[in-house]
């Protein structure tokens, strides 16, 4: 297998699908050497099969807004790979959603889910619906219309969607309500991220952020460092950033920045629990503005329009917002300001130039598919609880999450340790995920 040849073929076949091509390129580069040591993979054309989704559902979603006007969006579900388990992955509601974006996310999800140690295949879905400025009623009507099409594609042993950007507990509630009505079954295992009183797992809302910080702790420990007293810059203010801030604070770090599409809020004395709680209010408002934090906490949070979290002096950078949110110039600025570690929490949050810069300038870097896997892993734990009709305590879920993040870190070290003793976490995560999926595909024959 030659990455160059496969990429040339995919570029010709899917011109303009930049996020998808970027995600595939990153994985293929990492696995090329190992892959070529396995002639059985080449014979079964594992890579050629793995880069293509199993199937893509595309559907029209029509709903009525508060003014009585008819609105039409496009909905998608991409079932990427089911070699190691049923399709599993979130739904993203964002105006910029395209098949390319969801293909990149579904592809990444396949490897991420393999790393979790749980039996889950990869999928992703969503819509170009823009939640910004929508009322609660509009969100509900959209979710109901979306599920009217989606419900026949999913099932607890078939495909299990969850949240992602623009889809949180509220949206999962509306989606589940409509699913239940259509299916006439109380199939809790069909969606994850549900409310704790109706089948949701305790800690699922916090899990992506908590897991990211547990992974960061493992990484720092391996490098002989400690998170206590470190200054942390976080991008975004949604569910993932929220969980990351809670755990960073608990572990004795100081969160000095959060950000939004409108700019950055610098918090020189560190974020407080009250401010973290306010992030939930900001998210529920659908205003998509981080400036609201500075308005609510004048003197504590200082808003600068148009700037990113990476302009704030920190030790550790945690991208928690969107793909490609950290560019090479940002990586350079972070280094100039003394940053020495970046754990990518968002999916593909760093541009290839930024990753390259980190890796060649002695900055510890770990990729999203390892760092943020605690979210989907806890979704996997939710599926188990649903299947057994039981619910675990927060302590039980947290212990399992700790164990999973530790084992993901160990897999990265196993497959990513370089001759000089440093760990290439990108390589480690990609090879570990790939080997598991590839072996399962081989076992199951040419299908
Ligand atoms: N959207 C999350 C992710 O990127 C969670 C998916 C899930 O829980 O299924 O992994």
């Amino acid at each position: 297998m030659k990455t160059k040849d496969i990429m040339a073929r995919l570029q010709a076949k899917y011109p303009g699908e930049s996020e998808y091509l970027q995600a595939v390129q990153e994985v293929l580069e990492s696995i090329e050497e190992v892959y070529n040591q396995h002639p059985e993979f080449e014979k079964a054309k594992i890579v050629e099969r793995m880069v293509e989704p199993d199937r893509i559902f595309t559907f029209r979603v029509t709903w009525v807004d508060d003014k009585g006007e008819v609105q039409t969006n496009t909905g998608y579900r991409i079932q990427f790979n089911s070699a190691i388990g049923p399709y599993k992955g979130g739904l993203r509601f964002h105006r910029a959603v395209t098949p390319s974006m969801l293909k990149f996310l579904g592809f990444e999800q396949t490897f991420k889910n393999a790393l979790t140690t749980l039996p889950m295949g990869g999928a992703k879905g969503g819509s170009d619906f823009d939640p910004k400025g929508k009322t609660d009623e509009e969100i509900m009507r959209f979710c109901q219309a979306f599920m009217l099409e989606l419900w026949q594609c999913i099932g607890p042993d078939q495909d299990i969607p969850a949240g992602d950007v623009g889809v949180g507990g509220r949206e999962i509630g509306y989606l589940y309500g409509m699913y239940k009505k259509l299916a006439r079954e109380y199939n809790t295992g069909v969606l994850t991220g549900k409310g704790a009183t109706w089948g949701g797992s305790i800690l699922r809302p916090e899990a992506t952020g908590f897991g990211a910080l547990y992974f960061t702790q493992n990484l720092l420990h391996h490098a002989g460092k400690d998170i206590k007293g470190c200054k942390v810059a976080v991008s975004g203010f949604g569910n993932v950033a929220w969980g990351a801030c809670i755990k960073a604070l608990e572990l004795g770090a100081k969160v000095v920045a959060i950000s939004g599409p409108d700019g950055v809020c610098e918090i020189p004395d560190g974020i407080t629990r009250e401010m973290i709680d306010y992030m939930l209010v900001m998210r529920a408002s659908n205003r998509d503005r981080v400036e609201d934090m500075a308005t609510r906490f004048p003197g504590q949070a200082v808003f600068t329009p148009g700037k990113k979290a990476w302009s704030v002096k920190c030790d550790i950078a945690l991208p928690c917002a969107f793909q490609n949110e950290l560019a090479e110039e940002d990586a350079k600025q972070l280094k100039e300001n003394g940053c020495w570690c970046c754990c990518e929490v968002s999916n593909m949050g760093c541009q290839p130039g930024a990753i390259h810069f980190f890796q060649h300038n002695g900055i510890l870097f770990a990729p999203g598919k390892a760092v943020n896997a605690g979210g989907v892993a806890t979704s996997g734990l939710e599926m188990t609880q649903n299947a057994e009709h039981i619910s675990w305590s927060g302590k039980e879920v947290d212990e399992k999450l700790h164990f999973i993040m530790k084992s993901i870190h160990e897999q990265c070290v196993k497959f990513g340790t370089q001759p000089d003793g440093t760990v290439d976490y990108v390589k480690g995560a990609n090879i570990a995920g790939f080997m598991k999926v590839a072996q399962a595909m081989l076992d199951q024959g040419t299908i």
Side-chain angles (χ1 to χ4, degrees):
M1 180 273 274
K2 277 209 181 77
T3 300
K4 227 167 63 216
D5 296 346
I6 296 189
M7 287 314 300
R9 196 173 53 75
L10 290 178
Q11 268 149 8
K13 191 170 171 190
Y14 302 114
E17 295 199 359
S18 60
E19 298 102 335
Y20 164 69
L21 295 168
Q22 181 186 337
V24 173
Q25 166 103 27
E26 185 213 277
V27 170
L28 296 195
E29 271 172 12
S30 299
I31 61 152
E32 184 168 334
E33 201 185 320
V34 173
Y35 188 88
N36 289 334
Q37 291 161 6
H38 289 267
E40 69 279 19
F41 290 163
E42 183 72 27
K43 185 163 175 278
K45 295 273 182 286
I46 293 290
V47 153
E48 285 81 347
R49 288 158 56 191
M50 206 184 255
V51 297
E52 298 279 356
D54 286 357
R55 64 192 67 82
I56 302 182
F57 297 103
T58 306
F59 44 91
R60 175 172 53 76
V61 184
T62 295
W63 55 286
V64 180
D65 70 16
D66 284 353
K67 293 192 216 94
E69 272 175 38
V70 175
Q71 301 287 343
T72 293
N73 290 99
T74 307
Y76 307 92
R77 185 68 181 167
I78 303 198
Q79 297 181 337
F80 218 103
N81 188 297
S82 65
I84 65 166
Y87 301 107
K88 179 82 194 91
L91 297 171
R92 179 173 288 195
F93 292 170
H94 190 278
R95 63 186 178 284
V97 160
T98 58
S100 165
M101 194 191 291
L102 298 179
K103 274 169 74 181
F104 119 64
L105 288 162
F107 182 73
E108 289 281 295
Q109 198 80 42
T110 303
F111 298 93
K112 181 198 314 197
N113 293 4
L115 288 172
T116 63
T117 73
L118 304 173
M120 298 182 289
K124 206 84 188 191
S127 174
D128 58 358
F129 170 75
D130 184 4
K132 192 173 169 177
K134 302 290 187 298
T135 62
D136 197 40
E137 290 70 26
E138 288 175 324
I139 301 264
M140 180 175 78
R141 286 197 294 277
F142 176 78
C143 288
Q144 291 175 338
F146 184 85
M147 187 51 86
L148 213 49
E149 282 290 330
L150 183 71
W151 80 282
Q152 279 179 315
C153 312
I154 61 176
D157 292 309
Q158 186 183 355
D159 182 354
I160 306 95
D164 195 79
V165 175
V167 179
R170 167 182 53 187
E171 291 75 13
I172 292 294
Y174 296 147
L175 289 164
Y176 185 70
M178 193 60 170
Y179 175 86
K180 184 169 62 112
K181 193 171 172 68
L182 293 163
R184 299 192 179 198
E185 276 176 21
Y186 208 100
N187 245 336
T188 40
V190 74
L191 290 171
T192 59
K194 300 178 292 293
T197 56
W198 46 278
S201 176
I202 296 180
L203 278 190
R204 176 63 190 90
E206 293 87 349
T208 310
F210 279 22
L213 267 293
Y214 298 157
F215 187 92
T216 306
Q217 268 189 308
N218 278 284
L219 175 143
L220 295 186
H221 181 73
H222 192 78
K225 295 178 184 289
D226 189 1
I227 195 165
K228 225 184 168 105
C230 286
K231 286 187 179 163
V232 179
V234 170
S235 64
F237 62 86
N239 169 261
V240 175
W242 168 78
C245 287
I246 298 176
K247 195 44 84 177
L249 201 65
E250 265 178 42
L251 297 177
K254 195 165 155 182
V255 178
V256 291
I258 57 167
S259 66
D262 52 333
V264 64
C265 266
E266 199 174 333
I267 313 162
D269 293 332
I271 205 163
T272 61
R273 190 57 220 224
E274 213 189 338
M275 293 166 99
I276 296 174
D277 290 345
Y278 193 66
M279 287 163 85
L280 295 178
V281 178
M282 282 160 55
R283 199 259 160 189
S285 77
N286 288 337
R287 282 161 56 84
D288 211 11
R289 281 170 46 158
V290 80
E291 187 180 2
D292 294 356
M293 183 64 84
T295 312
R296 171 71 184 76
F297 295 92
Q300 282 172 273
V302 183
F303 176 69
T304 311
K307 287 253 183 216
K308 295 185 185 179
W310 323 129
S311 61
V312 176
K313 204 168 151 26
C314 66
D315 299 298
I316 300 171
L318 297 180
C320 291
F322 214 57
Q323 72 264 6
N324 290 326
E325 56 173 310
L326 197 155
E328 189 173 343
E329 310 88 78
D330 301 318
K332 287 182 180 158
Q333 188 172 14
L334 281 166
K335 183 173 162 58
E336 267 167 38
N337 284 339
C339 170
W340 45 266
C341 173
C342 173
C343 282
E344 186 184 66
V345 194
S346 43
N347 290 310
M348 209 166 76
C350 297
Q351 296 183 15
I355 299 176
H356 194 259
F357 181 84
F358 287 142
Q359 290 180 326
H360 289 84
N361 285 276
I363 294 177
L364 293 165
F365 175 77
K369 62 171 78 68
V371 179
N372 74 29
V376 71
T378 308
S379 277
L381 300 178
E382 184 169 327
M383 286 160 64
T384 306
Q385 294 169 75
N386 294 158
E388 291 186 33
H389 300 283
I390 52 162
S391 117
W392 293 328
S393 68
K395 189 166 166 283
E396 280 173 289
V397 177
D398 200 35
E399 273 168 15
K400 288 183 169 55
L401 179 59
H402 265 287
F403 172 81
I404 289 169
M405 298 317 293
K406 187 163 176 280
S407 103
I408 295 173
H409 183 264
E410 279 163 7
Q411 294 175 69
C412 292
V413 171
K414 179 175 168 201
F415 289 99
T417 300
Q418 301 301 291
D420 67 359
T422 59
V423 182
D424 181 337
Y425 284 89
V426 175
K427 229 175 170 171
N430 283 333
I431 296 175
F434 169 80
M435 290 303 279
K436 193 168 169 186
V437 178
Q439 193 56 53
M441 287 174 72
L442 209 58
D443 292 347
Q444 293 168 23
T446 310
I447 48 165

